[in-house]
Structure formats: C-alpha cells, structure tokens
Amino acid sequence: VKEFSVRVKEQRHLLNVLDVIFRPSSTVEAGRFLRTVVRVENLGAKVEKDIKVTVSIPELGVSTRDFIDDLVTLNDDEEDDEESSLSTNELALQIPSDTKEGDYEVRVDVEFNRGNDIVTLRKTVHVSGETETASTNAIISVDSTSRTLGRNEEGTFRLTFANLDNS
C-alpha cells in the first residue's frame, strides 16, 4: 500500500454557451432580420468581465456583437443577486435581400479572459430567398376591351401568348 497526494485545481477561465435562440425561428426571409439571443454560463473559478459575443454568417458577410459586463462563477455565494449565466441583448443580423435560398452556417463566438480564450458554436439557419429561375422571353397580352357579363351569360376574351425565346 502506498499513499499519494492528489491536487485537483479548478479551471480558472471556462465559459459555456447554454443556448442560442433564433427569432422568429431558424428560418428567415431574405431582406429580413434574424434576431438572436445567446445564453452564456461561467463554469470557471474566476468572475469573467467584458465578455464579447459575436454572431455572424460568414458566407453572407454579416455580423453583429454584444457584451456581457460581468458573469460570476457557479461557486460564488448562492445568495448573491448576480447570476452565473446571462443572456445577451437581442442581436439583429439583416439578411441581404439578394440572398439565394438555402441553408447557411451561423457562427457564435464568445470571447473572454481579455481575448485570450474563445468558445465557438455553429448553428444552421434556412434563408427563404431568391430562387434561381431560368430567364424567359415570353409575352402575355390580354384584350383591353371591357365587357360586362351578367349572371349565366357567356363572353369571349382574347388572350395572346408569345414565346420569343429560342426554345
């Protein structure tokens, strides 16, 4: 039998992203705002100050950020009014109006410990936007003569369709 001394030391700086909430949902129309709230918790031994939370969609070139001033650790006195997890204010990303329909990666970066540490989380949102359509050279014309029809009466209207394309 041998005795060994073991020392366990808590990690000083450790944040976790508890949740990322998209509003109105994880589907957004092109040209509209994707509103995001990020909930962060402090699992480390030190109070974290000036936590920068950045939400971006790199493929679309849009990003926004917010700061959480102070986030106490879970081990602090339970009777304190301060919380060990806080949410950001609502972060709004405007989706460009010319965005093609599809799924896009949203990147959430939480930077803390004076910029020395970063936690990254990736989520997916669906943008319902412009769909690629084949260009057509077609004309549809309706006879401009006005007619009044009574109940159970018949009438003739002239519609003209023209395909000016090569196919």
Side-chain angles (χ1 to χ4, degrees):
V1 175
K2 287 192 175 190
E3 280 189 30
F4 295 96
S5 295
V6 177
R7 182 174 178 219
V8 177
K9 187 175 178 183
E10 190 174 21
Q11 191 168 354
R12 294 175 59 146
H13 301 281
L14 179 62
L15 293 184
N16 180 44
V17 178
L18 278 174
D19 200 6
V20 176
I21 303 164
F22 296 122
R23 293 187 180 133
S25 69
S26 60
T27 299
V28 64
E29 292 179 28
R32 300 265 187 178
F33 285 93
L34 175 67
R35 297 184 324 269
T36 308
V37 175
V38 180
R39 183 107 179 143
V40 179
E41 71 176 334
N42 186 355
L43 301 175
K46 302 282 278 179
V47 173
E48 293 296 339
K49 297 180 181 292
D50 300 322
I51 301 161
K52 181 168 79 170
V53 179
T54 304
V55 178
S56 63
I57 304 177
E59 192 173 347
L60 300 179
V62 294
S63 69
T64 186
R65 70 179 68 62
D66 191 22
F67 285 87
I68 297 173
D69 293 330
D70 292 310
L71 190 57
V72 300
T73 181
L74 284 171
N75 296 336
D76 278 358
D77 189 4
E78 296 288 332
E79 296 177 19
D80 281 350
D81 288 340
E82 297 179 284
E83 296 187 42
S84 62
S85 67
L86 291 173
S87 296
T88 62
N89 293 318
E90 197 169 72
L91 298 160
L93 283 173
Q94 183 164 18
I95 307 300
S97 58
D98 61 347
T99 300
K100 301 294 182 217
E101 183 156 351
D103 292 335
Y104 294 87
E105 180 183 88
V106 176
R107 181 178 165 152
V108 177
D109 293 322
V110 178
E111 192 175 317
F112 58 102
N113 187 18
R114 295 185 175 191
N116 291 318
D117 295 310
I118 189 166
V119 174
T120 300
L121 182 71
R122 290 175 171 81
K123 295 272 194 174
T124 302
V125 294
H126 181 79
V127 175
S128 56
E130 293 185 354
T131 55
E132 294 188 38
T133 57
S135 64
T136 57
N137 242 345
I139 297 174
I140 301 173
S141 177
V142 179
D143 187 0
S144 63
T145 307
S146 177
R147 295 185 181 84
T148 304
L149 294 176
R151 188 176 187 148
N152 294 324
E153 291 182 6
E154 292 183 13
T156 305
F157 297 88
R158 175 176 272 188
L159 301 174
T160 306
F161 298 91
N163 182 356
L164 304 175
D165 209 347
N166 293 333
S167 57

